[in-house]
Amino acid sequence: MANTSDTIEGAAVEAGTVDRPTPRRFGFGRVGRAPNLIGFILPFLILSLWQIAAARAWVDPVFLPAPLTVVTAFWKMATKQHLARDFVASITIVGQAFIYGSVVAVALGIAAGLSRKVEQFFGPTFDTIRHIPGIAWLPLIVLWLGIGAPAKVLVIAKSVFFPVFLNTLQGIRSVEKNYIELAKVLTLTRWQLVRKVILPAAMPSIMVSLRYAAGLAWALVVVAEGLSGLEGLGFLIFRAQGLLLTDQLLVCMVIIGLVGFAIDRSMYVAQKRVLKWKQGYDG
Amino acid sequence: MATPGHLEIRNVSKTYALPGRPLVNVLSHVGFDVDPGAFVTIVGPSGCGKSTLLRLIIGLDDDYRGDILLNGRRIVGTALSRGIVFQDHRLLPWLTLQQNIGLSLENSGWSAKEKASAIRDHIGLVGLSGFEKAYPHELSGGMAQRAAIARGLANRPEILLLDEPLGALDALTRVHLQAEIQRIWEAEGVTMILVTHDVEEAVFLSNRVVVMSANPGRIVEDVAVDLPFPRDRAHVDFIALKRRILAAMGEDERRPASPRAA
């Protein structure tokens, strides 16, 4: 990726050209720039306010333990209990659900995008299933598969499936007609058309939905684990509430937030990398 | 070097039927010959069917009456022997310049080495060496149009169609690229057919200018241009030819402009 920049920036247009090349940034260089500290101001303020509130005893510690208590609780959970195991349990479910859901969604989305027949075949069924929330599916699926991971994987995969499927379909359907015409002029075969024109054209829309779905999957695992099962961050958070272990509850919340943040950022980097040909507004 | 194609257009007519409206005669008994290696320009007002005619020649539309023959054979569908440059450069934004040009060679049946050298040669031909790995959004309008010309020529077609390729460019870039197209045409020796409504561009580039008129789309004049290349836009013969073509289009500048529907 980086090698494109040295070949191009050094090049000049041949003699007699009026078009002037404008030096531009290449690739996804912007992702790698120095971290901007402005984003840390607000978390710092919130943390300070929390500390002050706890120190001045504005709130009963049962409802809002001090930040330090939460850190201690984290240490205790990580060393004396099985926080790591629960964390891995949640991540595994999300990872599997995301991969199954999005692979099937992209595959079926492409099929439906390329063929009206396929779209019409699945359309009514999908549009109905889509409107039953994943969480509403959970009780039935748990009856079938038990309270273990498979039921959650299935339910979350379903929630991942729909946004990705619909965006893949939409992305394919909104490929510019001009490009199809060009493919015809260049005598591309159907397979070449799909691979070289239709899929890349649909990629921005697919990538956006994958990023959204990844975040959604992470949020849903917490709910699913809270509703059924005996491990995972979702289970811990509801157990902590029941036992009034507010410090543990906060530990789980912070972890969920940070992991969600990390997932979103990595999806963003992946998106930038895949769509490096796309020129967007960078702020 | 490409084998220049001999194009014959014989009595071509085309009508559009829009629901609830009378038939539109887009093309009515259009016929002319393009000699191998010639540069022929079709000029005419909007709606005279000149772009429709190009679509028929490239093979994107085969719903017409009459015959279009390339080297004696009736054209069927699209083929690599006929290249086209559209008004919008139509480079695929996710492919680099060299990948975009390479796309026209996908079905050429050439070896990887032949493809690579054809790509390199044509990038050089249009003066874009050094930009092989640039994405279209990194190119200016004029550079993108050069790239589109390179793509049109890379598979060595017998004929290259240019559908108002410079229409979207600024005046200075346009004049410059006209000179470039003239040079490329001489270098490649390929038959070229240009559609434009810029009469000066037509006289500057062509051996022959076919003037069309609308309602129905038909040929009203066929003007041979025998001035030596490169042409001087300020020469009296150049201006006289320009005036003659404008008059044939009903756009003679010495008369007050007649109100005309767009």
Side-chain angles (χ1 to χ4, degrees):
Chain A
M1 325 257 150
N3 61 357
T4 48
S5 54
D6 24 75
T7 40
I8 298 164
E9 273 165 20
V13 203
E14 281 193 2
T17 315
V18 261
D19 311 323
R20 245 166 287 116
T22 38
R24 294 220 176 92
R25 284 169 176 279
F26 282 79
F28 57 106
R30 273 169 180 264
V31 176
R33 69 183 162 184
N36 203 330
L37 295 179
I38 197 172
F40 291 95
I41 296 174
L42 196 56
F44 179 76
L45 286 179
I46 293 171
L47 214 56
S48 314
L49 191 67
W50 177 9
Q51 176 60 42
I52 294 167
R56 299 266 173 105
W58 289 344
V59 189
D60 189 324
V62 174
F63 298 121
L64 188 66
L68 203 61
T69 320
V70 174
V71 174
T72 321
F74 168 74
W75 186 247
K76 198 177 121 201
M77 288 167 83
T79 53
K80 304 232 168 71
Q81 298 174 5
H82 307 287
L83 183 60
R85 198 194 60 198
D86 288 297
F87 178 76
V88 170
S90 298
I91 284 282
T92 312
I93 289 174
V94 170
Q96 288 181 347
F98 178 72
I99 290 169
Y100 298 153
S102 52
V103 166
V104 177
V106 170
L108 279 184
I110 291 171
L114 295 178
S115 150
R116 291 255 174 221
K117 278 255 154 44
V118 175
E119 188 195 1
Q120 284 160 358
F121 177 77
F122 286 116
T125 317
F126 280 5
D127 284 339
T128 310
I129 293 177
R130 182 158 64 94
H131 286 100
I132 309 171
I135 296 306
W137 280 95
L138 190 62
L140 181 69
I141 310 277
V142 166
L143 274 184
W144 294 345
L145 300 179
I147 57 170
K152 286 165 222 158
V153 170
L154 187 62
V155 164
I156 296 169
K158 177 255 161 203
S159 298
V160 165
F161 175 84
F162 282 104
V164 178
F165 171 77
L166 291 172
N167 272 280
T168 304
L169 174 61
Q170 191 52 44
I172 288 179
R173 286 291 158 78
S174 50
V175 175
E176 273 184 55
K177 242 179 113 187
N178 280 350
Y179 292 151
I180 310 288
E181 208 176 84
L182 174 74
K184 224 168 151 188
V185 167
L186 300 181
T187 65
L188 298 191
T189 60
R190 184 151 177 86
W191 170 238
Q192 287 169 333
L193 171 71
V194 170
R195 206 162 44 96
K196 301 269 179 178
V197 180
I198 291 180
L199 276 189
M203 204 42 91
S205 143
I206 296 175
M207 289 309 293
V208 166
S209 70
L210 286 179
R211 186 176 168 198
Y212 166 76
L216 183 69
W218 180 243
L220 280 178
V221 75
V222 176
V223 182
E225 287 170 343
L227 289 176
S228 82
L230 295 167
E231 58 177 4
L233 290 172
F235 167 72
L236 286 187
I237 206 168
F238 283 93
R239 191 194 63 158
Q241 187 213 19
L243 301 175
L244 263 178
L245 298 169
T246 321
D247 50 353
Q248 293 206 3
L249 195 158
L250 283 166
V251 168
C252 294
M253 284 177 67
V254 171
I255 292 176
I256 290 164
L258 290 178
V259 171
F261 177 78
I263 288 176
D264 190 62
R265 279 303 154 104
S266 25
M267 291 305 290
Y268 176 75
V269 171
Q271 186 182 351
K272 274 273 170 185
R273 199 180 266 240
V274 173
L275 303 180
K276 65 175 193 296
W277 51 269
K278 209 166 186 302
Q279 183 187 35
Y281 176 61
D282 267 351
Chain B
M1 182 112 325
T3 332
H6 175 210
L7 185 78
E8 296 161 83
I9 295 166
R10 295 208 183 133
N11 205 16
V12 168
S13 299
K14 179 173 175 61
T15 49
Y16 272 130
L18 290 172
R21 295 208 168 192
L23 282 180
V24 184
N25 277 314
V26 193
L27 292 170
S28 173
H29 306 288
V30 170
F32 61 91
D33 261 36
V34 179
D35 294 332
F39 196 118
V40 172
T41 298
I42 306 169
V43 294
S46 307
C48 71
K50 56 192 192 302
S51 285
T52 305
L53 186 57
L54 273 203
R55 287 181 65 83
L56 300 184
I57 300 173
I58 195 68
L60 282 171
D61 186 349
D62 51 16
D63 179 22
Y64 63 91
R65 275 172 290 121
D67 290 302
I68 302 177
L69 311 172
L70 183 61
N71 293 334
R73 287 188 310 275
R74 197 170 198 277
I75 61 135
V76 184
T78 56
L80 290 178
S81 56
R82 281 165 280 136
I84 189 166
V85 178
F86 298 99
Q87 179 170 4
D88 53 319
H89 55 75
R90 228 171 274 196
L91 299 172
L92 298 179
W94 46 87
L95 299 181
T96 61
L97 171 55
Q98 60 184 6
Q99 289 169 335
N100 262 296
I101 296 173
L103 197 63
S104 69
L105 304 176
E106 281 281 322
N107 299 323
S108 60
W110 298 354
S111 70
K113 214 176 131 196
E114 288 170 316
K115 285 183 190 173
S117 87
I119 293 170
R120 198 178 44 244
D121 292 351
H122 285 89
I123 288 178
L125 178 74
V126 299
L128 286 177
S129 299
F131 291 88
E132 288 82 358
K133 292 189 169 116
Y135 284 99
H137 76 81
E138 292 159 345
L139 303 174
S140 69
M143 290 162 83
Q145 210 49 270
R146 287 161 184 271
I149 293 170
R151 179 178 61 193
L153 287 170
N155 52 44
R156 311 218 180 267
E158 294 162 9
I159 188 165
L160 183 70
L161 310 176
L162 302 142
D163 188 3
E164 301 193 43
L166 312 181
L169 303 176
D170 64 272
L172 196 61
T173 309
R174 190 155 66 223
V175 166
H176 187 80
L177 272 185
Q178 285 165 3
E180 288 281 278
I181 288 176
Q182 210 267 309
R183 175 182 67 77
I184 290 166
W185 170 63
E186 290 199 317
E188 290 281 294
V190 61
T191 310
M192 288 195 184
I193 298 184
L194 169 74
V195 156
T196 184
H197 40 230
D198 181 341
V199 174
E200 182 171 306
E201 184 169 296
V203 178
F204 184 79
L205 289 169
S206 329
N207 302 124
R208 244 173 83 203
V209 178
V210 175
V211 184
M212 290 185 71
S213 185
N215 298 323
R218 65 197 186 280
I219 295 176
V220 290
E221 191 143 359
D222 193 331
V223 182
V225 183
D226 290 325
L227 308 176
F229 290 108
R231 288 173 178 161
D232 176 3
R233 293 167 200 269
H235 196 278
V236 61
D237 294 342
F238 190 99
I239 292 166
L241 270 169
K242 229 175 103 177
R243 196 163 277 163
R244 185 176 152 204
I245 291 164
L246 281 168
M249 289 167 72
E251 296 281 324
D252 194 329
E253 57 203 13
R254 285 171 302 183
R255 283 190 331 215
S258 55
R260 184 172 58 87

